[in-house]
Amino acid sequence: MLTINVAVLLVIIVVFRLRRRTEARSRFDEKMTVVIVLALGIMLAPTDVGQGIAGFLGQLVSGVSQAGQ
C-alpha cells in the first residue's frame, strides 16, 4: 500500500518536471529527473501494476518485431 502511494507521488513529480521547457533545465535538473524516473521504475516493478505494464510492453515489442519481419 505504501509503495503505490509513493509511486503516485513520483508520477506527479515526473509529470511536473517534464512539463517545463527544455531550455530552462540545467544538467543537474536533468540528472535529478532521471534519478526520480529510475526510482519510480524500481517502485512499480514488483507491483501488479508494474507487472501489467511490463507484460503490455512485452506484447507491444513482440508485435512490432513480428511486423518488421
Side-chain angles (χ1 to χ4, degrees), residues 37-55:
V37 169
L38 286 174
L40 176 63
I42 291 169
M43 301 209 63
L44 283 180
T47 64
D48 291 337
V49 173
Q51 296 299 320
I53 292 171

Side-chain angles (χ1 to χ4, degrees), residues 9 14 20 33 44 49 51 56:
L9 177 63
V14 167
R20 295 188 334 184
T33 302
L44 283 180
V49 173
Q51 296 299 320
F56 171 75

Side-chain angles (χ1 to χ4, degrees), residues 3-52:
T3 304
I4 297 300
N5 292 336
V6 173
V8 169
L9 177 63
L10 285 175
V11 166
I12 292 169
I13 291 170
V14 167
V15 167
F16 280 121
R17 290 181 73 86
L18 293 179
R19 288 187 56 171
R20 295 188 334 184
R21 291 191 352 219
T22 305
E23 297 85 22
R25 294 187 191 151
S26 66
R27 285 190 174 193
F28 177 77
D29 195 30
E30 290 177 352
K31 289 177 184 177
M32 200 58 162
T33 302
V34 169
V35 168
I36 292 171
V37 169
L38 286 174
L40 176 63
I42 291 169
M43 301 209 63
L44 283 180
T47 64
D48 291 337
V49 173
Q51 296 299 320

